[in-house]
Amino acid sequence: MSLRVKALESLLVEKGLVDPAALDALVDTYENKVGPRNGARVVARAWSDPAYKARLLANAPEAIAELGYRPEQGEHMMVLENTPQVHNMVVCTLCSCYPWPVLGLPPVWYKSAPYRSRAVIDPRGVLREFGLELPDEVEVRVWDSTAELRYLVLPERPAGTEGMSEEELADLVSRDAMVGVAKAGVGVAKL
Amino acid sequence: MSLRVKALESLLVEKGLVDPAALDALVDTYENKVGPRNGARVVARAWSDPAYKARLLANAPEAIAELGYRPEQGEHMMVLENTPQVHNMVVCTLCSCYPWPVLGLPPVWYKSAPYRSRAVIDPRGVLREFGLELPDEVEVRVWDSTAELRYLVLPERPAGTEGMSEEELADLVSRDAMVGVAKAGVGVAKL
Amino acid sequence: MNGIHDMGGMHGMGPIEVERDEPVFHEEWEGRTFVMTRAIGMWRKWNIDTGRFHIELIPPAEYLRMSYYEKWFVRLADLLVKTGLVTGEELETGRPAPGSVRATPPLTVEQVPAVALNRFLAPSYEPGIPPLFHLGDQVRARNINPIGHTRLPRYARGKSGCVAVDHGVHVFPDTNAHGLGENRQHLYSVRFAARELWGEQASERDFVYIDLWDSYLDRV
Amino acid sequence: MNGIHDMGGMHGMGPIEVERDEPVFHEEWEGRTFVMTRAIGMWRKWNIDTGRFHIELIPPAEYLRMSYYEKWFVRLADLLVKTGLVTGEELETGRPAPGSVRATPPLTVEQVPAVALNRFLAPSYEPGIPPLFHLGDQVRARNINPIGHTRLPRYARGKSGCVAVDHGVHVFPDTNAHGLGENRQHLYSVRFAARELWGEQASERDFVYIDLWDSYLDRV
């Protein structure tokens, strides 16, 4: 693949169809500027500031733009609040739609056939595979991103985090928690 | 594949699980003794003998056994009569079920994903691909072989064949006509 | 199992390619794989439904890539080991385990003519098992999505049709495939309007007949 | 199109494999393929729906075998030629056709920050286009099976649910993908009980929300 991609890129550059410096800048953006840390900051703010949380749930694009992450021209967004009674999780069965501005590009598992096929027919089994066993009485809501709506899960704030700063709280919010396949406070790897 | 299959066969022979002479005899049976010529003789008899045709439509296994082809211990069979008003065709969407005793082993196209996927959702398009354009007013019946029933299509007897012997008539009956993707009298290759 | 094998109604599989004067087997190993499977079948270590299910277990990308007889080979190797006729080590080394006793093949040359055309199906007439439905009954195929074997194709689930033929009593694959009993019951050809299955794009003169068991059906 | 991409509800795809500390791109070519696609998108030669449809056109066995960015590469090459940005011969030889005029890239470094997070979606508020349904309405997803692009997944067709969110007016992918107009209309999240979708095996406390356009829905 590497050679074929290089050949295509040099053709496109020679034809003046793309600017290689712009390509470099785009790669840098996706590798270094967007990623789940953006979403984690949104979540931490919502946990810390009830008024912000209310704005976030009512109008996600505007509330997210307040923090400088901007889907302002484009992406439609909706934030789904997890509670002790309701657990939300997100999938795109038809392709791999994902909220890039707040979570970066999706991980391979999110784009994979096993997740895409099973999330809608066996959500609790999928969550179990992620180590999350939900009580029977919790309502599970799976959101299949079939349109240009992008979904971000607002996980429950973990107990015992009352004194924490927003930065500390953001450290508790993993990508998986914002897709809805984990709880906040567990499984937070390097973001 | 060739080496792997040879290795498995020699293992099974050495373990006494199969008798190589029986394997040879089986291959010979399927290569030389069963095939669409069997079904063509059944069709030709039905065209020639109204009483036989009535028995064939009422109890296909017994009528077919009369000609020496014997699904007597096993296979359930049903014969589907094509008429100017009704065209029947057969598919197995879930695997590749096929009436071996009267048609031999199925051709690759019958076992292929294109035929299995499309025969039930676009039968007229499939028939067109086989060169058969049916008038809109003809009812198309697609039989999906999901169980141990095997279906043989009894095609319409072509016009102008009144004086023909059963052997001559059988020459007009292709495998494809008995699957229901062709009419009798056309496209009869070496059987 | 909602597997790739259940492909009725899918698009995108490409054109139908018909080979003129196609041989029964394209290569010798195809024939050997086929007849080995038939001959080993005489050990009665698995039934036809278990056999089908083991083809369905082939991962989808492989299922689509493999030829028909490649799938048969994979299944044969798989079931030989699962049923203990062959050990995994024997399969790998190609040699019988040291000290293993040589068996006597159940299928001899003399039996081949009788067996070749015999697929060991159940008799279909059993007066003790009455049909739950009768010709002309309107029925609806159940919306089931088992992870095990089933012969109720996805495209028919939830759809209603009319009982067109009663084929008598047959073994029920959903249990038989998993050693859970033959669960004999009536089997019917159910006539579905293509428009019921596929919506208004379908011709109102197209019908699909699907063979369905009592356990798959509800009265409308 | 009832393609392999429409895989909601399928079994047999294997376990979910999560990679710890996964990099954004595993290999450099993945990143280059991704950003070339974004940069070429600025030529506005195709829209997001056309782009998705061209991934769906990858034959099923290839679709399952290929990695995500391999599919992006195949699509990019395919659409570059189809839209005439590149000729088939240029793609093969890797060189611009003799005498071809050098273009000016529409995407410059300065524009990258604005563009990176911008996917050119339609505004969602258009008072001139009233919704056909309202929150709480019971609706049924139509049983359509187009050979073209659609975002109505097979597993929802014929199933009934309840309008849970009105997302305003959105471009309709089924027409937009094929250059047949934006056909703007209301989009809703429709709440389906898992038992409606999958039968009694599903938990009665599971629900699936699917984003569906007016044209996909009938009132129950």
Side-chain angles (χ1 to χ4, degrees):
Chain A
M1 282 306 295
S2 189
L3 289 178
R4 292 173 69 197
V5 174
K6 276 209 172 78
L8 181 63
E9 180 173 339
S10 75
L11 174 66
L12 297 182
V13 170
E14 272 196 78
K15 282 179 68 74
L17 293 170
V18 298
D19 171 358
L23 297 184
D24 294 341
L26 274 171
V27 168
D28 178 57
T29 301
Y30 286 101
E31 283 196 325
N32 302 311
K33 302 208 171 116
V34 299
R37 189 72 192 178
N38 294 4
R41 290 212 184 87
V42 171
V43 169
R45 172 70 55 90
W47 284 347
S48 307
D49 177 347
Y52 181 78
K53 177 175 155 183
R55 292 199 298 282
L56 183 67
L57 294 174
N59 187 333
E62 281 185 18
I64 290 167
E66 286 180 38
L67 299 201
Y69 317 124
R70 30 140 126 208
E72 78 269 13
Q73 270 194 68
E75 212 122 61
H76 307 289
M77 288 249 3
M78 185 168 162
V79 171
L80 311 165
E81 184 182 15
N82 281 353
T83 68
Q85 290 78 43
V86 174
H87 182 89
N88 294 281
M89 61 188 278
V90 182
V91 65
C92 172
T93 61
L94 297 174
C95 46
S96 305
C97 297
Y98 194 76
W100 297 355
V102 283
L103 292 187
L105 297 180
V108 167
W109 65 258
Y110 183 86
K111 300 178 284 192
S112 72
Y115 184 72
R116 286 168 52 195
S117 60
R118 252 189 312 133
V120 287
I121 194 172
D122 182 24
R124 288 173 201 260
V126 165
L127 293 174
R128 225 172 281 126
E129 238 171 284
F130 278 91
L132 179 54
E133 179 84 40
L134 289 179
D136 281 351
E137 61 271 21
V138 171
E139 178 176 318
V140 172
R141 298 179 181 171
V142 183
W143 297 73
D144 189 355
S145 309
T146 52
E148 300 316 321
L149 255 295
R150 297 293 167 264
Y151 296 98
L152 181 75
V153 173
L154 174 59
E156 290 174 79
R157 181 171 176 161
T161 58
E162 291 72 16
M164 287 190 180
S165 71
E166 276 185 45
E167 277 300 297
E168 288 170 319
L169 287 170
D171 288 340
L172 301 177
V173 186
S174 69
R175 171 196 71 200
D176 291 2
M178 292 181 282
V179 178
V181 296
K183 297 234 179 204
V186 291
V188 186
K190 180 171 65 86
L191 287 177
Chain B
M1 284 304 295
S2 188
L3 289 178
R4 292 173 68 198
V5 173
K6 276 208 173 79
L8 181 62
E9 180 174 337
S10 76
L11 174 66
L12 297 183
V13 170
E14 272 196 77
K15 283 179 68 75
L17 294 170
V18 298
D19 171 358
L23 298 184
D24 293 343
L26 274 170
V27 168
D28 179 57
T29 301
Y30 286 101
E31 284 196 324
N32 302 311
K33 304 211 169 111
V34 300
R37 189 71 193 178
N38 294 4
R41 290 211 184 89
V42 171
V43 169
R45 171 71 54 88
W47 284 346
S48 307
D49 178 348
Y52 181 79
K53 179 176 154 184
R55 291 200 298 282
L56 183 66
L57 293 175
N59 186 333
E62 281 186 18
I64 289 168
E66 287 180 39
L67 300 200
Y69 316 125
R70 29 135 127 215
E72 81 266 14
Q73 270 195 67
E75 212 121 62
H76 306 289
M77 289 248 4
M78 185 168 162
V79 171
L80 310 165
E81 184 183 15
N82 280 355
T83 69
Q85 291 78 42
V86 174
H87 182 89
N88 293 281
M89 60 187 279
V90 181
V91 66
C92 171
T93 60
L94 298 174
C95 46
S96 304
C97 297
Y98 194 76
W100 297 355
V102 283
L103 293 186
L105 296 179
V108 167
W109 65 258
Y110 183 86
K111 301 178 284 192
S112 72
Y115 184 72
R116 286 169 50 196
S117 60
R118 250 186 317 130
V120 288
I121 194 172
D122 183 23
R124 288 171 202 263
V126 165
L127 292 176
R128 224 172 281 125
E129 240 172 283
F130 278 92
L132 179 53
E133 179 84 40
L134 290 180
D136 282 352
E137 62 271 22
V138 171
E139 177 176 317
V140 172
R141 299 180 181 171
V142 183
W143 297 73
D144 189 355
S145 309
T146 51
E148 300 315 322
L149 254 293
R150 297 294 167 265
Y151 295 98
L152 182 75
V153 173
L154 175 59
E156 290 175 79
R157 180 171 177 163
T161 59
E162 292 72 14
M164 287 189 181
S165 70
E166 276 187 44
E167 276 301 296
E168 288 169 320
L169 288 170
D171 286 342
L172 301 177
V173 186
S174 70
R175 172 197 70 200
D176 290 2
M178 293 180 282
V179 177
V181 296
K183 297 234 179 202
V186 292
V188 187
K190 181 172 66 82
L191 288 176
Chain C
M1 173 177 176
N2 295 349
I4 185 65
H5 71 282
D6 185 358
M7 54 177 66
M10 282 188 75
H11 295 131
M13 295 294 189
I16 297 163
E17 287 173 15
V18 179
E19 183 183 344
R20 301 300 303 170
D21 299 331
E22 183 178 333
V24 174
F25 301 114
H26 288 77
E27 300 190 52
E28 195 188 342
W29 69 263
E30 298 188 334
R32 304 311 283 188
T33 297
F34 176 72
V35 300
M36 274 196 281
T37 304
R38 298 301 311 279
I40 287 288
M42 294 298 291
W43 284 95
R44 308 293 182 93
K45 293 286 188 181
W46 63 83
N47 60 50
I48 192 169
D49 298 307
T50 308
R52 288 204 183 105
F53 185 59
H54 277 77
I55 294 255
E56 296 164 9
L57 289 175
I58 296 171
E62 294 293 288
Y63 184 99
L64 291 173
R65 185 191 60 71
M66 286 180 179
S67 73
Y68 182 71
Y69 291 114
E70 267 183 276
K71 287 177 219 159
W72 276 55
F73 182 78
V74 167
R75 165 179 58 186
L76 178 59
D78 185 15
L79 281 170
L80 281 168
V81 173
K82 275 192 184 154
T83 58
L85 283 174
V86 163
T87 68
E89 209 185 321
E90 288 175 326
L91 193 67
E92 234 170 84
T93 63
R95 311 221 150 270
S100 66
V101 181
R102 192 185 168 92
T104 303
L107 178 67
T108 62
V109 176
E110 294 69 39
Q111 291 166 301
V112 164
V115 161
L117 302 179
N118 173 2
R119 299 176 79 189
F120 309 113
L121 306 181
S124 71
Y125 179 65
E126 295 185 32
I129 303 177
L132 300 188
F133 303 97
H134 299 91
L135 300 196
D137 282 358
Q138 282 292 317
V139 291
R140 186 179 300 281
R142 289 186 177 164
N143 183 15
I144 57 170
N145 291 269
I147 55 169
H149 183 63
T150 187
R151 297 290 286 182
L152 173 51
R154 286 185 77 183
Y155 75 87
R157 296 179 196 162
K159 301 297 193 289
S160 65
C162 169
V163 174
V165 187
D166 182 341
H167 292 297
V169 169
H170 285 244
V171 168
F172 188 54
D174 300 38
T175 49
N176 195 45
H178 302 291
L180 300 173
E182 294 197 333
N183 198 359
R184 285 160 186 267
Q185 52 189 273
H186 275 257
L187 174 78
Y188 315 90
S189 287
V190 179
R191 172 181 161 105
F192 295 88
R195 289 208 166 163
E196 166 76 7
L197 298 174
W198 312 114
E200 287 168 22
Q201 70 180 64
S203 162
E204 60 179 342
R205 291 196 193 280
D206 289 356
F207 296 86
V208 181
Y209 289 71
I210 312 177
D211 292 335
L212 301 174
W213 283 256
D214 273 324
S215 291
Y216 292 161
L217 300 172
D218 284 319
R219 202 171 302 277
V220 173
Chain D
M1 176 177 174
N2 295 348
I4 186 65
H5 71 282
D6 185 358
M7 56 177 65
M10 280 188 76
H11 295 130
M13 294 293 189
I16 297 163
E17 287 173 15
V18 179
E19 182 184 344
R20 301 300 304 171
D21 299 330
E22 183 178 333
V24 173
F25 301 114
H26 288 76
E27 300 189 52
E28 195 188 343
W29 69 264
E30 297 187 336
R32 303 312 282 189
T33 298
F34 176 72
V35 301
M36 275 196 281
T37 303
R38 299 299 313 277
I40 287 288
M42 296 297 291
W43 284 94
R44 306 292 180 95
K45 293 285 187 183
W46 61 83
N47 60 50
I48 191 169
D49 298 306
T50 308
R52 288 203 184 108
F53 185 59
H54 277 77
I55 294 254
E56 296 165 9
L57 289 176
I58 296 172
E62 295 293 287
Y63 183 100
L64 290 173
R65 184 191 59 71
M66 287 179 179
S67 73
Y68 182 72
Y69 291 113
E70 267 182 276
K71 287 177 220 161
W72 277 55
F73 181 78
V74 167
R75 168 183 50 192
L76 179 58
D78 184 18
L79 281 170
L80 281 168
V81 173
K82 275 191 185 154
T83 58
L85 283 174
V86 162
T87 67
E89 209 185 320
E90 288 175 327
L91 192 67
E92 234 170 84
T93 63
R95 311 220 151 272
S100 66
V101 181
R102 193 185 168 91
T104 303
L107 179 67
T108 62
V109 177
E110 294 69 38
Q111 291 166 300
V112 163
V115 161
L117 302 179
N118 171 2
R119 300 175 78 191
F120 309 110
L121 306 180
S124 72
Y125 180 66
E126 295 184 33
I129 302 177
L132 301 188
F133 303 98
H134 298 90
L135 300 196
D137 282 358
Q138 283 291 317
V139 290
R140 186 181 300 279
R142 290 185 176 165
N143 183 15
I144 58 169
N145 291 269
I147 55 170
H149 183 64
T150 188
R151 297 292 285 184
L152 173 51
R154 286 185 77 184
Y155 75 87
R157 296 180 196 162
K159 300 297 195 288
S160 65
C162 169
V163 174
V165 187
D166 182 341
H167 292 295
V169 169
H170 286 244
V171 169
F172 187 53
D174 300 39
T175 48
N176 195 45
H178 302 292
L180 300 172
E182 294 197 333
N183 198 359
R184 285 161 186 266
Q185 52 189 274
H186 275 258
L187 174 78
Y188 315 89
S189 287
V190 179
R191 172 180 161 106
F192 295 88
R195 290 209 165 163
E196 167 75 5
L197 298 174
W198 312 113
E200 286 168 24
Q201 69 180 66
S203 162
E204 61 180 342
R205 292 197 192 279
D206 289 357
F207 296 85
V208 181
Y209 289 71
I210 312 177
D211 291 337
L212 300 173
W213 283 257
D214 273 324
S215 291
Y216 292 161
L217 300 172
D218 284 319
R219 200 172 305 277
V220 172

